[in-house]
Amino acid sequence: MRLTAMTDYALRLLLHVAQHPQRLCTIAEVARAYGISEAHLMKITHRLALGGFLETVRGKGGGMRLARAPADIPLGAVVRCMEPDFALVECFTHDVHAPVPAAAALPEDAPLPGGTCLLDGHCGLAGVIGGALQRFMQHLDRYSLADVLPGAARPVQWLQQPVTAATAAAD
Amino acid sequence: MRLTAMTDYALRLLLHVAQHPQRLCTIAEVARAYGISEAHLMKITHRLALGGFLETVRGKGGGMRLARAPADIPLGAVVRCMEPDFALVECFTHDVHAPVPAAAALPEDAPLPGGTCLLDGHCGLAGVIGGALQRFMQHLDRYSLADVLPGAARPVQWLQQPVTAATAAAD
């Protein structure tokens, strides 16, 4: 189970830019810092700018900066902006807008191929996987870029807190 | 964000076999039913048998049947059995055993490449994404193959139930 490399790189790019609020950052420096190709980073920067997360300044001395404060950049919004689709299983492509909150923010060019499964519409898999994806995105929506910056207080309690029967039932 | 096609096919294969409890099913018929190559299905059948979900009978008249009742096959266990890894972001490969319950059931050949991100260990991204994955898998663990079979009562309440602030806080 994976997010695309583009989403991974986008999160790292935003983390890098957020750590240098006093100046413009360049694609070249982000490429050097993480060993990511400039061609990839140009596409990512373009999409993040369209999504309202980055501002770019053209020309000599230009570069990029965050378009909003790190606390106003929810991680879930970045993932929705970058992922081409959430087609966890083939038949699920039909339901992608239903289960994920704010999925209307999915990029318009997200592919939504028709399913070829004979059980499509008859089995309950899409509903259950949709519910799981909903919980995944809801968790990301609780955190912003500010929460995960180096030096920020770590939300480790979400990782280490045992999930009791009671909290699981309330989920 | 995607599961592998192998996981998708494994779930469909189990759904097909579960619908024919009175006889052995063959790879050829599953291949025809879903338009999946027999070579893929042989690998999937092998892994599902190793995972204790399928029993196979060799020879003429042989085939496969479920090794347990559909109600005893949690969807989360099937996904853990089939996915090669849960490397949602590169740095997360280090943490894969921590956040996902029963991740010890991950296949031993799951790749765990070292991260190359300079922020590795300094930013909080792996923790938050690990928490989101934990919630994804916990949801799948609540449902079995029996819950998603065609004709089973649909767990649509999980999809359509609005998530209130209270339930979100308890999650």
Side-chain angles (χ1 to χ4, degrees):
Chain A
M1 181 167 145
R2 295 210 164 187
L3 295 167
T4 62
M6 298 288 270
T7 301
D8 188 358
Y9 297 162
L11 289 164
R12 292 196 225 176
L13 181 146
L14 290 172
L15 282 165
H16 180 92
V17 175
Q19 288 178 93
H20 301 94
Q22 73 288 3
R23 64 171 174 85
L24 295 175
C25 295
T26 65
I27 284 178
E29 76 177 77
V30 178
R32 277 196 305 273
Y34 294 111
I36 303 170
S37 85
E38 293 194 23
H40 277 133
L41 288 171
M42 283 180 68
K43 289 183 198 164
I44 292 164
T45 302
H46 180 67
R47 180 161 280 193
L48 288 173
L50 286 177
F53 303 110
L54 278 182
E55 284 176 356
T56 55
V57 177
R58 289 171 183 261
K60 188 171 169 59
M64 65 183 110
R65 60 184 161 226
L66 294 186
R68 322 177 203 167
D72 295 329
I73 299 181
L75 297 179
V78 176
V79 169
R80 283 189 195 88
C81 174
M82 296 305 301
E83 284 294 295
D85 63 61
F86 292 87
L88 287 160
V89 287
E90 188 197 81
C91 57
F92 186 58
T93 54
H94 301 308
D95 277 1
V96 69
H97 293 284
V100 186
L106 282 171
E108 286 187 9
D109 58 351
L112 291 172
T116 59
C117 177
L118 289 182
L119 295 175
D120 197 3
H122 300 285
C123 89
L125 198 55
V128 173
I129 293 192
L133 176 57
Q134 190 176 34
R135 277 148 189 79
F136 182 93
M137 295 304 296
Q138 282 169 347
H139 187 77
L140 291 187
D141 285 336
R142 292 193 193 114
Y143 297 97
S144 73
L145 195 62
D147 294 322
V148 296
L149 278 173
R154 291 280 160 271
V156 286
Q157 68 276 17
W158 288 106
L159 259 185
Q160 295 172 349
Q161 178 186 307
V163 177
T164 66
T167 60
D171 181 11
Chain B
M1 181 167 144
R2 295 210 164 188
L3 295 167
T4 62
M6 296 289 268
T7 301
D8 188 359
Y9 297 161
L11 289 163
R12 291 197 225 176
L13 181 146
L14 290 172
L15 282 165
H16 181 91
V17 175
Q19 288 178 93
H20 302 92
Q22 74 288 2
R23 64 170 174 86
L24 296 174
C25 295
T26 64
I27 283 178
E29 76 177 79
V30 179
R32 277 196 305 275
Y34 294 112
I36 303 171
S37 86
E38 293 195 24
H40 277 133
L41 287 172
M42 283 180 68
K43 288 183 199 165
I44 291 164
T45 302
H46 181 65
R47 179 161 282 193
L48 289 172
L50 287 177
F53 303 110
L54 278 182
E55 283 176 356
T56 56
V57 177
R58 290 170 183 262
K60 188 170 168 62
M64 65 184 110
R65 61 185 161 225
L66 294 186
R68 322 178 204 166
D72 295 329
I73 298 181
L75 298 179
V78 177
V79 170
R80 283 189 195 90
C81 174
M82 295 305 301
E83 284 294 294
D85 63 62
F86 293 87
L88 288 159
V89 287
E90 186 197 83
C91 58
F92 186 57
T93 54
H94 301 307
D95 278 0
V96 70
H97 292 283
V100 185
L106 281 170
E108 286 186 9
D109 58 351
L112 290 173
T116 58
C117 176
L118 290 182
L119 294 176
D120 196 3
H122 300 285
C123 89
L125 198 55
V128 172
I129 292 191
L133 176 56
Q134 189 176 34
R135 276 149 189 78
F136 182 94
M137 295 304 296
Q138 282 169 347
H139 188 77
L140 292 188
D141 285 335
R142 291 192 194 115
Y143 296 97
S144 72
L145 194 62
D147 294 322
V148 297
L149 279 172
R154 289 283 161 270
V156 288
Q157 68 276 16
W158 289 107
L159 259 185
Q160 295 174 349
Q161 175 186 309
V163 176
T164 65
T167 61
D171 182 8

